[in-house]
Amino acid sequence: MLLAGFDAGQTKTRCRISRWQDGRWEPISDGDGPGVSHLASAGGVERFREAIRCSSSEAMNHHPDLALDGAVIGASGIEQGSVVQEQATDLLAKTLALPTPQVLATGDERTALRGAFPNDAGIVVISGTGMICLGRTDQGMEHRCGGWGWLLDGAGSAFDIGHQGLQLTLQMADGRRPDHPLRNQIWTALGCTTSAAVKAKVVQPNFGASGFAALAPFVTAAAMQELGEARCILERSALALATSIHTVAMKLQLDHPDLVGHGGALEHLDGFSSLVKTAVQTVLPSSHWMPAAGDACHGALVMAQERVVKQR
């Protein structure tokens, strides 16, 4: 079977072509394409189609005579069993000229999970601009916590940390808390000098979750400089992630779960990952952190192989 696995992000889409033969994977090639946006957004359908077309074309550039047997794409915002999933799966099939039963569009958390744990039970927690936690048993049962969008459920994400940090600076400006260099650092980054300007800034259409998330490094730096309020923000966010992990483990009856962490907040925010691990150790001491077996593209390939086998 010649299969394609896609990992579609907001800035870039990756495509990996591999052959499944004699019980093992034979890598063929990789390709990159533009990012995607939610299908319901302006230009979302065309961006999704172009991301698939460009990344797969680049991956197949040196193998023009090869024909795909199946494909899976993982992208944020594709909820299991939703109309959006049906629409995205149909777009994937038409763009690659494949029968719909041999392709699938799904959430990138599911491809990340299957990349981390291709055939075994485990839990993946992703903390970037947003957050989500997803686990799976050996029998294929899954349970999810979080990932319901920044307006509803961002606890444990860079958005959450930046949002709370900005709130803290307004309390400082009001005199509700002592002033600290953190306020000036964040306001300078925003190009603001007054609380009223901050209020106007955050309601701009292009600010959103990413605007708040960009402030998170200032909060983590302040926490490292012993600002107690900033440290509390990080600890609350860490506990939120730990609670999600614990809930998934309990729902799936995983007594000694293996854990994998992904996302910019865990990988790049100073000290945050260690706080998360400390919080997880407290609520779920039997868990074990480990490196992922593979990335989201590999997870998409694993899911594609399973989907094609079911059709045969």
Side-chain angles (χ1 to χ4, degrees):
M1 284 182 282
L2 191 70
L3 304 167
F6 296 83
D7 180 30
Q10 293 184 13
T11 58
K12 184 175 76 171
T13 296
R14 294 183 299 138
C15 172
R16 182 169 302 150
I17 308 294
S18 292
R19 190 188 307 278
W20 175 257
Q21 186 168 295
D22 299 327
R24 65 182 183 87
W25 290 104
E26 177 192 345
I28 302 297
S29 58
D30 286 31
D32 292 338
V36 300
S37 55
H38 197 284
L39 288 182
S41 64
V45 169
E46 186 53 41
R47 286 195 71 191
F48 194 79
R49 185 184 292 115
E50 190 69 2
I52 296 166
R53 188 189 64 79
C54 291
S55 59
S56 61
S57 294
E58 183 174 300
M60 299 287 278
N61 186 43
H62 299 295
H63 311 276
D65 298 328
L66 295 179
L68 292 173
D69 295 299
V72 167
I73 186 170
S76 63
I78 299 181
E79 299 291 348
Q80 191 76 349
S82 67
V83 173
V84 170
Q85 183 178 37
E86 293 180 10
Q87 183 184 11
T89 298
D90 185 59
L91 284 170
L92 180 62
K94 289 179 178 177
T95 305
L96 297 178
L98 285 170
T100 302
Q102 292 171 217
V103 305
L104 176 69
T106 189
D108 55 0
E109 73 281 355
R110 296 187 71 220
T111 52
L113 176 66
R114 296 306 302 278
F117 305 101
N119 302 301
D120 300 318
I123 299 174
V124 164
V125 60
I126 304 172
S127 176
T129 298
M131 65 76 61
I132 192 168
C133 181
L134 181 69
R136 187 174 186 269
T137 67
D138 289 324
Q139 295 74 38
M141 182 181 298
E142 296 180 354
H143 187 74
R144 159 194 177 174
C145 279
W148 303 115
W150 66 281
L151 289 173
L152 297 173
D153 186 30
S157 65
F159 152 75
D160 181 50
I161 294 169
H163 184 223
Q164 291 189 63
L166 187 55
Q167 290 177 314
L168 178 61
T169 67
L170 293 171
Q171 294 168 15
M172 291 174 179
D174 286 352
R176 285 178 281 171
R177 293 183 182 274
D179 202 5
H180 185 274
L182 174 64
R183 181 182 64 81
N184 185 59
Q185 292 164 4
I186 287 181
W187 285 19
T188 298
L190 293 175
C192 298
T193 58
T194 66
S195 297
V198 171
K199 179 182 177 182
K201 181 77 173 182
V202 300
V203 298
Q204 296 301 309
N206 62 347
F207 193 78
S210 60
F212 288 108
L215 306 178
F218 297 105
V219 182
T220 56
M224 297 288 285
Q225 296 164 8
E226 306 300 328
L227 177 60
E229 292 94 335
R231 174 83 178 190
C232 286
I233 289 171
L234 294 187
E235 289 176 344
R236 284 195 296 269
S237 282
L239 180 59
L241 290 183
T243 300
S244 291
I245 293 170
H246 178 263
T247 301
V248 169
M250 294 302 101
K251 288 289 186 180
L252 296 178
Q253 299 181 359
L254 299 176
D255 296 328
H256 301 85
D258 290 327
L259 311 177
V260 166
H262 286 312
L266 290 175
E267 295 166 5
H268 302 304
L269 292 182
D270 291 340
F272 185 54
S273 179
S274 61
L275 287 175
V276 171
K277 291 181 178 179
T278 298
V280 171
Q281 179 64 27
T282 300
V283 301
L284 195 60
S286 60
S287 61
H288 170 68
W289 292 92
M290 62 182 295
D295 60 12
C297 279
H298 182 69
L301 287 167
V302 170
M303 296 177 73
Q305 185 264 345
E306 291 176 348
R307 192 163 181 87
V308 173
V309 165
K310 285 182 180 180
Q311 306 305 316
R312 293 187 170 181

